[in-house]
């Protein structure tokens, strides 16, 4: 079945550091990728939608200058959390879809802990 | 996308069937019913989806009411590995909108 690989699975770093998370679709070309964030005991919250070769669309309340998204190819999207602070600590999950109407497939998530 | 309503939690005994309900009274004609589940510390996993007819796959069955205002995800024999949060989500077939997650149902499986 379709596989989405997310890396790294866990990051612990100091406040002020920038962290890059990669999301790859391994056996299909993902025209659209999505980034979600999940705080403990809460549901997934959509952060942004990115289409290959164009700028990401951010949800209300998500700072585009803090959460940089790049979707340069049909198999790779990256999320960079710039100048991370403790309140950015969360579980970040990427998702990809081959084309509209198909199921979304999810990565295993990245647990980000900012000290 | 239309909203869904699910019980916060359910409990099942191992090796017994589980019926997870979902209400979606404002569903539109182009909305598909999707079910995903999230195991602890993992990303969501696709389970099944359907439009009008009941659907079966290796993981589960999806029973859709005739008026489409409710559906039930059926796990035929619950195992400990089925303990997860199950999300019922409506998504229109047209367009490229993302899945929007509600709170889901936390399923506990008792050995």
């Amino acid at each position: 079945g379709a596989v989405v690989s997310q890396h790294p699975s866990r990051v612990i770093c100091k406040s002020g550091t920038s962290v890059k998370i990669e999301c790859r679709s391994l056996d299909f070309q993902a025209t659209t990728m999505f980034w979600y964030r999940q705080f403990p005991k809460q549901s997934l919250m959509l952060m942004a939608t990115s289409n290959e070769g164009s700028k990401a669309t951010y949800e209300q309340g998500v700072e585009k200058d803090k959460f940089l998204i790049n979707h340069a190819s049909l198999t790779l999207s990256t999320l960079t959390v710039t100048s991370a602070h403790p309140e950015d600590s969360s579980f970040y999950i990427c998702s990809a879809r081959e084309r509209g109407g198909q199921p979304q497939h999810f990565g295993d998530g990245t647990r980000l802990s900012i000290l | 996308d239309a909203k869904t309503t699910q019980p916060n939690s359910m409990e099942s005994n191992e090796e017994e069937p589980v019926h997870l309900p979902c209400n979606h009274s404002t569903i539109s004609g182009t909305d598909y019913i999707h079910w995903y589940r999230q195991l602890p510390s993992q990303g969501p996993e696709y389970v099944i989806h359907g439009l009008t007819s009941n659907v079966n796959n290796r993981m589960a069955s999806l029973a859709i009411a005739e008026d489409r205002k409710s559906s039930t995800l059926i796990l035929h024999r619950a195992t400990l590995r089925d303990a997860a949060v199950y999300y019922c989500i409506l998504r229109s077939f047209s367009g490229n909108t993302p899945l929007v997650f509600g709170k889901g149902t936390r399923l506990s499986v008792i050995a």
Side-chain angles (χ1 to χ4, degrees), chain B residues 56-111:
Chain B
N56 300 296
N57 66 21
R58 64 175 181 82
M59 289 182 71
S61 295
L62 176 60
I64 301 173
E66 197 168 331
D67 64 4
R68 302 215 317 129
K69 293 186 176 182
S70 65
S71 61
T72 302
L73 179 71
I74 303 166
L75 307 180
H76 296 286
R77 283 179 73 240
T79 69
L80 296 178
R81 288 178 295 178
D82 291 322
V85 179
Y86 287 78
Y87 298 97
C88 169
I89 304 170
L90 301 183
R91 186 178 167 274
S92 178
F93 178 80
S94 59
N96 205 12
T97 55
L99 292 171
V100 177
F101 287 79
K103 295 184 178 180
T105 296
R106 182 173 296 279
L107 176 66
S108 301
V109 180
I110 302 169

Side-chain angles (χ1 to χ4, degrees), chain A residues 71-109:
Chain A
H71 190 169
S73 79
L74 285 172
T75 59
L76 173 65
S77 176
T78 60
L79 168 67
T80 301
V81 184
T82 61
S83 187
H85 292 285
E87 58 266 28
D88 298 322
S89 298
S90 189
F91 192 47
Y92 291 86
I93 306 167
C94 75
S95 179
R97 179 187 296 149
E98 187 169 4
R99 56 183 178 276
Q102 296 296 311
Q104 269 181 239
H105 299 283
F106 291 81
D108 280 338

Side-chain angles (χ1 to χ4, degrees), chain A residues 31-32 34 36 38 42-44 46 49 51 91 93 97 99-104 106-109 111, chain B residues 34 36 38 41-46 49 87 91-93 95-104 106:
Chain A
T31 54
T32 306
F34 309 96
Y36 294 81
Q38 185 175 33
Q42 294 186 21
S43 188
L44 284 78
L46 179 68
T49 300
N51 292 299
F91 192 47
I93 306 167
R97 179 187 296 149
R99 56 183 178 276
Q102 296 296 311
Q104 269 181 239
F106 291 81
D108 280 338
R111 189 162 302 283
Chain B
H34 292 254
Y36 284 74
Q38 186 178 24
S41 298
Q42 293 187 27
E45 174 186 29
Y46 167 78
H49 77 287
Y87 298 97
R91 186 178 167 274
S92 178
F93 178 80
N96 205 12
T97 55
L99 292 171
V100 177
F101 287 79
K103 295 184 178 180
R106 182 173 296 279

